[in-house]
Amino acid sequence: MAVTLTQSAAQHITRFISRRGRGVGLRLGVRTTGCSGLAYKLEYADEVLPEDLSFESHGVRVLIDPKSLAYLDGTELDFVREGLNEGFKFNNPNVKGECGCGESFQV
């Protein structure tokens, strides 16, 4: 079981944590919402919680709660720039469908 980052995502996260002046890594999870049922949650973590599962990718710690791992296992997180837009992109092999707006997914 693992979640990985691309080099681009790791560099973006490292730069942001450095500018912030604190943080131990990135916390990923899922929450119930949207038209398809699940949405990603993404935040910078300032501490490791006792229940966190920890992965390291390109020198960046990725923290995930155990319930979310079932939906995120095998996911690669990328940071992409497309024209004037930039942001994180989830390459999740568990996704069976997404809503039209792209805000939620189902497994």
Side-chain angles (χ1 to χ4, degrees):
M1 295 177 126
V3 174
T4 59
L5 304 173
T6 63
Q7 185 68 42
S8 176
Q11 288 172 342
H12 180 77
I13 293 163
T14 301
R15 276 192 309 270
F16 189 85
I17 289 174
S18 178
R19 277 189 233 144
R20 243 178 123 225
R22 68 183 193 283
V24 297
L26 185 72
R27 185 178 308 283
L28 296 179
V30 296
R31 59 186 167 92
T32 305
T33 189
C35 21
S36 291
L38 297 170
Y40 297 108
K41 4 181 241 195
L42 185 81
E43 61 188 13
Y44 292 95
D46 291 329
E47 64 181 335
V48 179
L49 302 175
E51 67 272 12
D52 283 336
L53 300 169
S54 181
F55 301 93
E56 189 162 320
S57 184
H58 297 284
V60 174
R61 184 183 285 176
V62 179
L63 304 169
I64 301 174
D65 67 273
K67 291 180 183 176
S68 293
L69 186 59
Y71 304 106
L72 296 172
D73 186 34
T75 296
E76 177 188 64
L77 183 63
D78 195 7
F79 186 79
V80 295
R81 289 186 173 96
E82 295 173 350
L84 298 175
N85 299 317
E86 64 181 23
F88 287 106
K89 179 180 178 186
F90 290 84
N91 298 312
N92 186 342
N94 305 302
V95 171
K96 303 289 186 238
E98 295 177 311
C99 67
C101 65
E103 292 297 318
S104 62
F105 66 96
Q106 62 188 5
V107 292

